[in-house]
């Protein structure tokens, strides 16, 4: 079974993960799909964390300007 994980939101991936976990798929196939979904979720989380850190970093200059330094 192949699962298309492209263009899925993290919410959709989590729902799919739950569906696969309770499915009747053979153990090896279920394990492979679960690992693929988890890797995709971790990638999305890492990207989001990088965006947040960059936004904080960019906002830091503005905060320094407010302090009169």
């Amino acid at each position: 079974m192949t699962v298309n994980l492209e263009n899925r939101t993290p919410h959709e991936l989590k729902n799919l993960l739950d569906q696969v976990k309770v499915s009747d798929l053979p153990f090896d196939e279920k394990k492979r799909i679960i690992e693929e979904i988890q890797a995709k979720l971790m990638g999305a989380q890492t990207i989001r964390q990088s965006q947040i850190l960059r936004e904080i970093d960019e906002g830091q200059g503005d905060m320094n300007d407010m302090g009169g330094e």
Side-chain angles (χ1 to χ4, degrees), residues 34-53:
I34 288 171
E35 288 172 354
E36 287 178 18
I37 295 170
Q38 288 175 334
K40 184 81 170 177
L41 282 168
M42 292 298 286
Q45 182 178 4
T46 301
I47 290 170
R48 182 65 187 137
Q49 287 173 346
S50 296
Q51 290 171 337
I52 290 170
L53 290 174

Side-chain angles (χ1 to χ4, degrees), residues 13-65:
L13 289 171
K14 288 176 187 174
N15 286 340
L16 181 61
L17 181 62
D18 290 340
Q19 291 173 1
V20 171
K21 286 180 178 179
V22 297
S23 72
D24 292 335
L25 291 170
F27 176 79
D28 290 340
E29 190 168 356
K30 187 185 290 193
K31 181 180 176 190
R32 178 186 59 80
I33 294 170
I34 288 171
E35 288 172 354
E36 287 178 18
I37 295 170
Q38 288 175 334
K40 184 81 170 177
L41 282 168
M42 292 298 286
Q45 182 178 4
T46 301
I47 290 170
R48 182 65 187 137
Q49 287 173 346
S50 296
Q51 290 171 337
I52 290 170
L53 290 174
R54 185 175 58 248
E55 289 172 9
I56 290 170
D57 226 17
E58 291 169 356
Q60 203 62 41
D62 296 338
M63 294 300 288
N64 288 340
D65 291 344

